[in-house]
């Protein structure tokens, strides 16, 4: 039998449903791998071994009894440690919430459990999700598995999610994305991650960073797996007033493998021209691959995208400080000083700045809508660089020198501001063996087309099937 | 009256102190000095919003798309 720790969600669900494998075996295989690897990788903060095995035995019994089962029956997943889990601590990667134990599951966690998923544990992350590199002063940085010789950034803030999925410690994980926090670790760790449309997935029971920019979504080893997970997670939730009442389509049914006639806009200018040469070449090659499969690719740019960083700063700094103000007053020493400094900047953003940021948001949203008016999806690099060494602070982009933090969020943040769905997926590797990623962006609530394009590309290529060689 | 928080001139400590107190924080002078470069960089970035073509653009205050 294939190594259970490397099977996809889709494969595991099918094998469990047909009794080709027991959910107990599957969970045991993952717990054994976590036991063997997590000390080095630091992907998990909390492992729910006993509860996971108990749930697996119950799943096995349900199958034996012929009970109806959900699409994720017996499939293990892991959660970024900002999704509330009933009875299991949810720390946000912080010291402040180190002993916080929620009474209830976040809505998405409850829905995934109802679909049959089994929670293996809670994953490392940047403190309170405020940073794209993957650092965590309290728990240590989750280690990017793609370079055994040197510590490289896993990307953040969903760092443990990226590492766990890439290293075979979970077939899938949940992440959250305020400026790229699903897509950046997906990019640097060589996996697939979907930031859905704002309002498609409930944020109820998810620790906020910036309410109007936060998105929850799946991270897995394929677009097909993200489709399965999204189908279980998405939909209106009375506990989150920003969720849409639009019905949830059958995402897996959209995965036809066919991109003939699909209109793709390749985002140049701000996006492609800033990317490192190997990243740019890989994304251009991906566009050619899709063209050869029948897609129609043209080039497009977004007029106001240069204003995204200022607008995002105004919005995120204000909203984040509003959430953290009380703790910053009463427990300042419990924050990583670097995180505290970023939070403090919100005090120097005015109300006028915030409103102007929201005005720019309308402009950028209109830009993206305009680009998608006669196209089905847009294509761009996910990050302009690949995983940097832990100690690197600056990088040279096509547009000049940049600090690593700004570079990592440069290309993902526009779609947090606009709210459009975006899927990051591997599209190559550098000569040094590090993953390169592209993102496919779609119309609001058209995750089906985004996933169809991503899945079709993954049927044509094998980048997403490669595995890191662990030390 | 607070001095204008623009980046045409460096922000002095007194301005940082008064703005942070207005926001409800009593940060020490040493903390504010450490923050000053980041605040100045942020203000430079935020100033770009003033010249954005947004005069007739209504802010996005309702996030629920549909």
């Amino acid at each position: 039998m294939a190594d259970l720790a490397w099977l996809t969600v889709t494969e595991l669900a099918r094998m469990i449903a047909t009794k080709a494998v027991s959910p107990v075996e599957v969970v045991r295989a993952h717990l054994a791998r976590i036991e063997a690897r997590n000390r080095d990788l630091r992907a998990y903060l909390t492992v729910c071994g006993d509860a996971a095995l108990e749930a697996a035995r119950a799943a096995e019994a349900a199958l034996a009894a012929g009970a109806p089962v959900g699409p994720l029956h017996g499939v293990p997943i892991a959660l970024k440690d900002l999704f509330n889990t009933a009875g299991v601590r949810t720390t946000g990667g912080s010291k402040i919430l180190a002993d916080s134990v929620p009474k209830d599951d976040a809505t998405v966690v409850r829905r995934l459990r109802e679909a049959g998923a089994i929670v293996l544990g809670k994953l490392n992350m940047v403190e309170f999700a405020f940073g794209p590199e993957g650092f965590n002063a309290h728990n240590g940085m989750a280690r990017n598995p793609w370079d055994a010789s040197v510590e490289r950034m896993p990307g953040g803030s969903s760092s443990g999610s990226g590492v766990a999925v890439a290293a075979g410690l979970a077939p899938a994980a949940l992440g959250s994305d305020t400026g790229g926090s699903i897509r950046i670790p997906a990019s640097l760790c060589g996996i697939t991650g979907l930031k859905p449309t704002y309002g498609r997935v409930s944020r109820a029971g998810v620790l906020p960073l910036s309410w109007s920019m936060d998105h929850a979504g799946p991270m897995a080893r394929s677009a097909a797996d993200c489709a399965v997970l999204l189908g279980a997670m998405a939909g209106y939730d009375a506990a989150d007033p920003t969720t849409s009442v639009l019905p949830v389509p059958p995402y897996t049914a959209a995965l036809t493998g066919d991109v003939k006639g699909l209109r793709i806009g390749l985002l140049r200018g701000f996006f492609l021209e800033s990317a490192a040469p190997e990243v740019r070449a890989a994304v251009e090659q991906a566009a050619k691959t899709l063209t050869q499969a029948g897609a129609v690719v043209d080039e497009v740019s977004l007029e106001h995208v240069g204003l995204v960083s200022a607008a995002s700063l105004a919005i995120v700094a204000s909203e984040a400080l509003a959430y953290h103000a009380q703790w910053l007053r009463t427990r300042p020493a419990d924050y990583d000083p670097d995180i505290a400094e970023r939070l403090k900047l919100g005090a120097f953003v005015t109300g006028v700045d915030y409103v102007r940021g929201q005005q720019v948001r309308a402009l950028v949203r209109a830009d993206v809508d305009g680009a998608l008016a006669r196209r089905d999806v847009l294509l761009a690099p996910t990050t302009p660089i690949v995983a940097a060494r832990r100690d690197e602070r600056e990088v040279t982009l096509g547009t000049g020198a940049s600090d690593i933090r700004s570079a990592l969020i440069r290309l993902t943040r526009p779609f947090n501001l606009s709210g459009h769905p975006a899927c990051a997926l591997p599209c190559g590797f550098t000569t040094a063996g590090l993953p390169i990623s592209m993102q496919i962006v779609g119309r609001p609530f058209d995750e089906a087309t985004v996933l169809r394009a991503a899945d079709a590309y993954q049927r044509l290529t094998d980048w997403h099937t490669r595995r890191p060689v662990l030390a | 009256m607070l001095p204008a928080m623009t980046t045409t001139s460096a922000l002095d400590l007194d301005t940082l102190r008064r703005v942070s107190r207005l926001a409800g924080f009593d940060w020490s002078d040493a903390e504010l000095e450490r923050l000053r470069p980041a605040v100045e960089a942020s203000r430079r970035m935020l100033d770009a919003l003033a010249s954005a073509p947004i005069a007739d653009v209504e802010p996005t205050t309702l996030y629920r798309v549909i």
Side-chain angles (χ1 to χ4, degrees):
Chain A
M1 182 178 293
D3 186 344
L4 295 175
W6 287 107
L7 294 177
T8 66
V9 167
T10 307
E11 290 165 337
L12 286 170
R14 178 176 45 77
M15 291 172 70
I16 291 169
T18 58
K19 300 181 187 172
V21 66
S22 155
V24 177
E25 289 176 71
V26 173
V27 166
R28 281 202 177 120
H30 283 89
L31 291 175
R33 195 165 170 83
I34 293 166
E35 173 69 24
R37 297 289 184 183
N38 196 55
R39 185 182 301 274
D40 180 46
L41 294 171
R42 296 186 289 271
Y44 282 81
L45 299 180
T46 303
V47 179
C48 307
D50 291 343
L53 279 170
E54 187 180 334
R57 282 191 282 269
E60 189 177 59
L63 275 173
V69 297
L72 291 165
H73 189 80
V75 176
I77 60 165
L79 310 170
K80 183 179 185 178
D81 201 20
L82 51 55
F83 290 88
N84 280 351
T85 39
V88 176
R89 70 180 190 142
T90 300
T91 70
S94 73
K95 187 174 177 183
I96 285 175
L97 295 177
D99 301 315
S100 174
V101 180
K103 288 180 184 160
D104 301 305
D105 283 338
T107 297
V108 288
V109 175
R110 176 173 50 78
R111 287 180 177 174
L112 287 166
R113 288 194 209 267
E114 287 168 355
I118 293 171
V119 174
L120 289 170
K122 309 294 290 290
L123 297 164
N124 203 351
M125 57 178 285
V126 176
E127 182 177 0
F128 289 119
F130 207 2
E133 302 98 329
F135 299 142
N136 186 300
H138 311 296
N139 301 308
M141 183 183 81
R143 181 172 181 154
N144 191 314
W146 284 98
D147 191 342
S149 65
V150 62
E151 276 206 279
R152 288 188 180 273
M153 297 174 189
S157 61
S158 310
S159 51
S161 305
V163 172
V165 174
L169 306 192
L174 292 194
S176 67
D177 191 317
T178 305
S181 290
I182 287 172
R183 290 163 288 157
I184 294 165
S187 173
L188 272 49
C189 292
I191 65 167
T192 304
L194 175 70
K195 180 199 80 67
T197 310
Y198 189 84
R200 180 73 293 181
V201 171
S202 172
R203 294 171 296 106
V206 185
L207 289 174
L209 172 57
S210 172
W211 297 279
S212 75
M213 301 275 272
D214 293 342
H215 303 64
M219 301 168 73
R221 296 196 199 106
S222 71
D225 283 1
C226 286
V228 175
L229 289 156
L230 182 65
M233 297 165 65
Y236 175 73
D237 176 19
D240 178 355
T242 65
T243 50
S244 171
V245 295
L246 280 177
V248 177
Y251 296 112
T252 53
L255 307 182
T256 61
D258 184 8
V259 289
K260 287 187 184 65
L262 188 79
R263 297 163 302 176
I264 299 174
L266 181 60
L267 283 165
R268 287 217 169 263
F270 182 90
F271 290 87
L272 212 49
E273 272 63 49
S274 67
E278 283 184 292
V279 174
R280 181 175 171 164
V283 174
E284 288 176 332
Q285 182 56 46
K288 284 181 190 161
T289 300
L290 289 161
T291 301
Q292 286 161 1
V296 180
V297 178
D298 71 350
E299 295 180 0
V300 63
S301 57
L302 302 179
E303 184 181 355
H304 300 102
V305 72
L307 291 165
V308 164
S309 56
S312 299
L313 170 64
I315 295 166
V316 174
S318 302
E319 295 186 7
L321 181 60
Y323 180 74
H324 285 276
Q326 189 60 22
W327 285 329
L328 265 183
R329 290 188 189 103
T330 59
R331 302 180 63 182
D334 288 341
Y335 285 93
D336 169 0
D338 188 43
I339 300 287
E341 179 176 311
R342 270 178 272 164
L343 289 168
K344 288 175 181 175
L345 291 180
F348 303 93
V349 177
T350 68
V352 172
D353 295 327
Y354 183 82
V355 173
R356 284 176 178 159
Q358 299 289 15
Q359 288 176 290
V360 167
R361 184 174 211 166
L363 282 184
V364 173
R365 180 181 290 178
D367 280 354
V368 182
D369 283 341
L372 286 163
R374 285 179 294 160
R375 299 176 186 88
D376 300 297
V377 293
L378 306 175
L379 180 64
T382 305
T383 51
I385 55 172
V386 295
R389 289 192 320 272
R390 182 194 182 115
D391 58 353
E392 281 184 87
R393 289 294 175 268
E394 213 172 78
V395 66
T396 302
L397 302 178
T399 46
S402 169
D403 63 280
I404 295 275
R405 185 174 295 159
S406 302
L408 285 173
I409 59 177
R410 175 184 173 90
L411 308 184
T412 48
R413 199 162 51 173
F415 309 109
N416 294 84
L417 200 64
S418 76
H420 291 75
C423 181
L425 64 156
C427 65
F429 281 78
T430 65
T431 50
L434 297 171
I436 300 171
S437 175
M438 64 182 186
Q439 57 181 334
I440 297 174
V441 182
R443 295 175 182 147
F445 299 99
D446 192 14
E447 284 82 0
T449 301
V450 170
L451 290 165
R452 173 164 70 94
D455 170 69
Y457 178 78
Q458 290 184 330
R459 294 188 197 199
L460 296 164
T461 59
D462 68 354
W463 306 117
H464 64 295
T465 66
R466 299 194 183 187
R467 299 173 193 169
V469 177
L470 302 180
Chain B
M1 177 79 72
L2 289 170
M5 275 204 303
T6 66
T7 52
T8 50
S9 60
L11 291 167
D12 62 32
L13 187 60
D14 191 48
T15 303
L16 295 181
R17 192 185 300 120
R18 286 199 276 173
V19 171
S20 58
R21 284 186 181 163
L22 198 60
F25 297 98
D26 190 19
W27 293 323
S28 69
D29 288 358
E31 286 177 287
L32 291 169
E33 280 293 359
R34 275 198 302 275
L35 267 181
R36 191 211 297 257
V39 174
E40 289 176 345
S42 298
R43 290 307 319 168
R44 273 195 297 277
M45 195 182 285
L46 292 167
D47 285 349
L49 295 173
S51 53
I54 51 177
D56 299 319
V57 179
E58 199 164 319
T60 307
T61 51
L62 181 63
Y63 306 109
R64 186 161 147 190
V65 181
I66 301 174

